[in-house]
């Protein structure tokens, strides 16, 4: 039986044939099982000896069967690994148009990349801050006290109060990152802060979540001239119009003094930038208020600076000739494909 089983195992070329041998030997009506069952008929004086011999045989057969299984499994695995070789140099299959895998840079990301490149060339570093802000960072430190009318303008989303009893907010602008930057970095500072901002407002040109980019420069003897030069250079580079007319208009923000809104020239009728008779407001800016500097532990007699903030969707829309802000957040692949960056 042992020789026959060993021969049958050697002849079994795959796991199916192997299993047939196993069943024919150790199975319920297998040959070894039959021998073990027959033990009862063996005369008592020989039974012990024969029982021991059969048990040895059983152990040997079980070991041989198991060894063959491992050998066959190994062989099958090797065969599979040989057959299923992966060609990692194969180019990916083109995906069906309109599927997410098609890939592309979202216009928001592209606009952020463009402006960080322009400001990067002027020596600005990118800084980020949290979307959930303390009341103090978003308002108080920026010289917007408790009952200041600017708070109402911001249509703030409030969160449930924290342990200090104050309600955190979804930041209504990127200006709180001015505070975080001045508190953690020693001047001179040249930072731009792209990021998400939130206001409870929704129509064709407002989304409850939108993006801003903040700019902050702190150094000794920084003047309004630096602010103007920096922003004119940026706007002309970003819109790609060498002589783009830029207008600085006196305005008010609690955290800058003086404050200026910045307009670029455009044609209201055609939407064309640069040579219209109309002005289009594009960003807010100003010299950092002495109180804000002091709130961040900077002596206003030593350090001055300017700050600005603009809506990323807004400048992207103007540059691309888009009229509706909502498609930025609707993930309609036809719109995305139309405005995506070339791969
Ligand atoms: N935070 C202002 C806003 O959201 C913009 C701004 C930033 C104005 C920095 C001045 C200086 O409207």
């Amino acid at each position: 039986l042992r020789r026959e089983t060993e021969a049958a195992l050697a002849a079994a070329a795959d796991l199916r044939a192997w299993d047939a041998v196993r069943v024919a030997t150790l199975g319920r009506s297998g040959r070894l099982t039959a021998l073990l069952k027959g033990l009862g008929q063996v005369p008592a004086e020989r039974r012990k000896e024969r029982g021991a011999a059969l048990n040895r045989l059983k152990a040997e057969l079980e070991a041989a069967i198991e060894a063959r299984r491992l050998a066959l499994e190994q062989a099958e695995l090797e065969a599979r690994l040989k057959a299923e070789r992966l060609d990692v140099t194969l180019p990916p299959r083109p995906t069906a148009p309109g599927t997410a895998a098609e890939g592309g840079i979202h216009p928001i990301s592209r606009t952020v990349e463009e402006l960080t490149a322009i400001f990067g060339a002027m020596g600005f570093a990118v800084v980020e801050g949290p979307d959930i802000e303390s009341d103090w960072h978003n308002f108080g430190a920026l010289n917007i006290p408790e009952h200041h009318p600017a708070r109402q303008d911001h249509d703030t989303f409030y969160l449930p109060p924290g342990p200090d009893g104050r309600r955190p907010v979804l930041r209504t602008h990127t200006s709180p990152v001015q505070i975080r930057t001045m508190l953690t970095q020693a001047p001179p500072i040249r930072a731009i802060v792209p990021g998400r901002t939130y206001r409870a407002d929704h129509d064709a040109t407002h989304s409850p979540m939108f993006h801003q980019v903040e700019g902050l420069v702190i150094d000794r003897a920084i003047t309004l001239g630096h602010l103007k030069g920096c922003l004119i250079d940026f706007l002309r580079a970003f819109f790609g119009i060498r002589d783009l007319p830029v207008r600085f208009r006196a305005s008010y923000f609690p955290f800058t003094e003086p404050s200026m809104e910045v307009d670029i020239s455009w044609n209201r009728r055609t939407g064309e930038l640069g040579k219209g008779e109309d002005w289009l407001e594009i960003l807010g800016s100003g010299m950092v208020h002495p109180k804000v500097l002091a709130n961040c532990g900077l002596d206003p007699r030593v350090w001055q600076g300017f700050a600005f903030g603009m809506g990323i969707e807004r400048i992207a829309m103007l540059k691309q000739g888009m009229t509706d802000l909502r498609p930025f957040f609707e993930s309609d692949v036809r719109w995305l494909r139309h405005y995506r960056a070339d791969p």
Side-chain angles (χ1 to χ4, degrees):
L1 175 61
R2 184 198 307 136
R3 266 199 308 278
E4 281 175 25
T5 307
E6 280 168 358
L9 280 172
D14 57 25
L15 282 168
R16 264 177 85 138
W18 166 85
D19 198 50
V21 177
R22 185 185 63 84
V23 170
T25 313
L26 303 174
R28 210 179 305 163
S29 30
R31 292 172 69 192
L32 180 73
T33 314
L35 288 177
L36 286 166
K37 276 185 192 154
L39 211 54
Q41 271 84 61
V42 174
E45 65 270 24
R46 293 187 47 213
R47 198 178 295 156
K48 191 173 167 198
E49 191 191 335
R50 187 164 167 79
L54 283 177
N55 272 332
R56 268 200 310 280
L57 177 62
K58 185 180 177 203
E60 281 172 24
L61 291 178
E62 280 176 350
I65 287 169
E66 180 62 9
R68 184 66 182 147
R69 181 179 71 83
L70 291 174
L72 284 171
E73 277 181 0
Q74 187 63 32
E76 264 179 36
L77 181 64
E78 266 158 30
R80 243 197 19 236
L81 287 174
K82 265 211 188 92
E84 296 177 359
R85 184 143 321 153
L86 272 180
D87 182 356
V88 294
T89 68
L90 216 57
R93 262 179 220 146
T95 43
T99 60
E102 179 183 356
I105 312 281
H106 191 278
I108 297 281
S109 308
R110 186 174 14 143
T111 306
V112 170
E113 283 171 12
E114 287 169 4
L115 43 90
T116 52
I118 296 168
F119 282 113
M122 295 192 223
F124 284 71
V126 174
V127 172
E128 290 187 311
D131 289 18
I132 297 175
E133 267 297 7
S134 74
D135 192 279
W136 185 77
H137 287 91
N138 195 82
F139 294 121
L142 288 162
N143 196 31
I144 312 174
E146 205 72 45
H147 297 290
H148 195 285
R151 292 210 179 199
Q152 272 87 66
D153 297 346
H154 279 210
D155 302 308
T156 311
F157 287 111
Y158 286 93
L159 278 74
D164 61 354
R166 304 200 60 94
R167 292 190 297 171
V169 301
L170 292 180
R171 65 180 179 191
T172 58
H173 50 179
T174 42
S175 300
V177 191
Q178 286 186 36
I179 304 301
R180 292 184 176 275
T181 307
M182 286 187 272
L183 286 173
T184 54
Q185 292 183 26
I189 293 169
R190 268 182 261 180
I192 56 161
V193 186
R196 282 183 285 269
T197 45
Y198 305 83
R199 292 182 198 180
D201 205 352
H202 203 188
D203 60 34
T205 55
H206 294 90
S207 157
M209 189 280 291
F210 59 108
H211 297 76
Q212 283 190 343
V213 61
E214 192 84 7
L216 177 68
V217 171
I218 304 286
D219 207 334
R220 296 171 204 271
I222 293 289
T223 70
L224 208 57
H226 296 118
L227 180 161
K228 291 178 72 177
C230 173
L231 290 177
I232 291 171
D233 279 356
F234 165 72
L235 291 168
R236 290 180 176 170
F238 179 80
F239 289 108
I241 303 172
R242 190 187 291 272
D243 52 0
L244 176 70
V246 178
R247 181 175 77 172
F248 291 81
R249 183 166 37 80
S251 182
Y252 172 76
F253 298 102
F255 36 92
T256 47
E257 181 60 35
S259 303
M260 291 182 299
E261 271 166 329
V262 183
D263 304 332
I264 57 175
S265 98
W266 74 312
N267 185 319
R268 189 178 301 275
R269 206 168 33 78
T270 62
E272 203 188 347
L273 298 174
K275 37 169 101 63
E277 44 279 6
D278 307 303
W279 291 103
L280 187 66
E281 180 194 324
I282 195 112
L283 60 87
S285 68
M287 302 305 291
V288 178
H289 197 294
K291 280 193 190 165
V292 174
L293 291 168
N295 287 340
C296 300
L298 296 176
D299 183 345
R301 289 166 304 183
V302 179
W303 302 107
Q304 298 81 40
F306 64 85
F308 55 88
M310 63 192 125
I312 293 179
E313 287 82 358
R314 180 165 169 81
I315 60 170
M317 286 168 71
L318 287 168
K319 187 169 176 174
Q320 311 286 336
M322 303 164 177
T323 51
D324 191 337
L325 177 139
R326 289 167 291 198
F328 278 105
F329 312 114
E330 283 169 353
S331 302
D332 182 330
V333 288
R334 294 162 302 179
W335 185 88
L336 289 170
R337 205 179 307 136
H338 184 76
Y339 287 110
R340 80 169 178 204
D342 289 327

